[in-house]
Amino acid sequence: MERAAGRHRPQTGDPLKVGARTLDLATPRIMGVLNVTPDSFSDGGRFTGLDAALERARAMVEEGADLIDVGGESTRPGAVPVAEGEELARVIPVIERLASELPVAVSVDTRKPAVMRAAVDAGATMINAVDALRTEGALTAAASLGVPVCLMHMQGEPATMQREPRYADVVAEVGAFLVERARAAEQAGVPADAVLFDPGIGFGKTLAHNLELLRRLPELARLGRPLVVGVSRKRLIGDLTGRPLEARAVGSAVAAAFAVARGACIVRAHDVAATRDALRIAMALAQESR
Ligand code: HH2
């Protein structure tokens, strides 16, 4: 893919080391979503078998995914927390298999320190910390594992987060939260250059909050850490297009391209082929406008 040239793209320093691999974030990257849960909002129950999970991951890599994010606990609005043993049983065999068979890095989407440890032991080389390492023991676990960590903003808990979320200034508050969590991670021993930020689109946010975060993404990019953004198939796409979950690929890809043009380095996507095409167009246009 063409090198980035958009005026909003941040200088994020060195390429990201993910295990033995290196991700040059000057080119936008796609994180393919693989939920091995019965209840994820868009792909729940579809990839819970080992072979189905592997097949799905392979297809996403073929379509252009640069890493695969494995999740064993849904964080959709209203989701019920999953016990540690259950989450381990869901994700560890899948991560083991993907890490040994895929040509790309594998990340683990979790809040639990025990899952982080077992996942890295099984071959994961990145932690997608959807509560920004606020679970007890998670900061220490992340520091000891020595892999990059994505710190995501969430207001409240999945079970209740969409009940009237409020902010005085959503961008300022999300930014301050991420900076505070990065400081906590650094104090625990996570190297500053191993931290990525994610505004957590849809996590305790109204449509207006989500749109404002996406429009003002350059302000978050200026915080100096690579930005991860997940819009894929989310409610905002449904609200804006009127489309059901299975018909949100185009809307999601357009939103991902917009996020990249505004400074996102990694986009989290279910529909990888559509997203890859959209990013290619967005980056080619960004280069034109230099
Ligand atoms: N969104 C979801 C889950 N994990 N991680 C990051 N870093 N950013 C996101 O926006 C994000 C995330 C929710 O989407 P999905 O995984 O498809 O659904 P569920 O939580 O129901 O499994």
Side-chain angles (χ1 to χ4, degrees):
M1 196 178 289
E2 298 83 351
R3 282 183 70 81
R7 67 195 159 90
H8 293 299
R9 295 192 65 70
Q11 298 301 309
T12 48
D14 297 332
L16 190 70
K17 283 275 300 161
V18 274
R21 298 184 173 88
T22 302
L23 275 186
D24 174 7
L25 297 180
T27 297
R29 301 292 174 179
I30 300 174
M31 173 189 264
V33 181
L34 181 63
N35 287 312
V36 286
T37 61
D39 60 339
S40 285
F41 79 94
S42 83
D43 57 355
R46 294 187 50 205
F47 309 114
T48 46
L50 214 45
D51 290 335
L54 184 64
E55 197 183 315
R56 173 70 182 149
R58 278 209 181 109
M60 288 194 284
V61 171
E62 244 164 62
E63 290 177 11
D66 298 289
L67 60 160
I68 299 292
D69 189 41
V70 179
E73 179 182 54
S74 172
T75 43
R76 75 187 149 75
V80 179
V82 172
E84 182 177 295
E86 175 64 26
E87 192 176 333
L88 286 166
R90 289 178 185 176
V91 299
I92 299 308
V94 174
I95 289 174
E96 245 164 27
R97 190 93 188 262
L98 300 192
S100 68
E101 296 190 29
L102 290 184
V104 301
V106 175
S107 62
V108 62
D109 176 332
T110 190
R111 300 188 274 183
K112 298 183 183 68
V115 177
M116 293 172 190
R117 289 183 202 280
V120 171
D121 209 37
T125 49
M126 181 166 162
I127 295 168
N128 179 16
V130 286
D131 72 348
L133 301 176
R134 285 180 292 164
T135 297
E136 199 183 336
L139 282 167
T140 318
S144 71
L145 294 170
V147 298
V149 185
C150 175
L151 301 174
M152 195 193 78
H153 175 271
M154 177 182 338
Q155 186 183 81
E157 289 291 314
T160 53
M161 66 190 177
Q162 288 309 111
R163 288 188 201 151
E164 293 191 48
R166 278 171 209 274
Y167 302 84
D169 178 337
V170 67
V171 178
E173 286 167 54
V174 166
F177 169 89
L178 292 171
V179 167
E180 185 276 314
R181 293 313 299 160
R183 213 166 275 146
E186 207 177 333
Q187 271 165 13
V190 178
D193 63 2
V195 169
L196 299 95
F197 285 164
D198 186 329
I201 298 297
F203 286 87
K205 283 131 192 148
T206 62
L207 174 61
H209 295 140
N210 290 322
L211 291 176
E212 181 149 12
L213 280 164
L214 290 168
R215 286 189 196 114
R216 293 171 57 195
L217 218 48
E219 291 174 48
L220 297 178
R222 281 198 286 276
L223 297 175
R225 297 311 313 148
L227 286 182
V228 179
V229 172
V231 288
S232 187
R233 299 184 184 172
K234 285 185 178 172
R235 186 179 298 173
L236 85 152
I237 306 296
D239 287 346
L240 294 172
T241 60
R243 303 261 180 213
L245 276 169
E246 64 281 7
R248 293 182 187 167
V250 174
S252 302
V254 171
F258 182 87
V260 157
R262 300 232 145 195
C265 292
I266 299 178
V267 290
R268 199 172 169 277
H270 302 82
D271 303 290
V272 173
T275 305
R276 190 198 53 175
D277 287 356
L279 298 197
R280 282 187 171 167
I281 305 293
M283 295 322 297
L285 290 169
Q287 234 164 19
E288 280 295 308
S289 67
R290 184 151 60 162

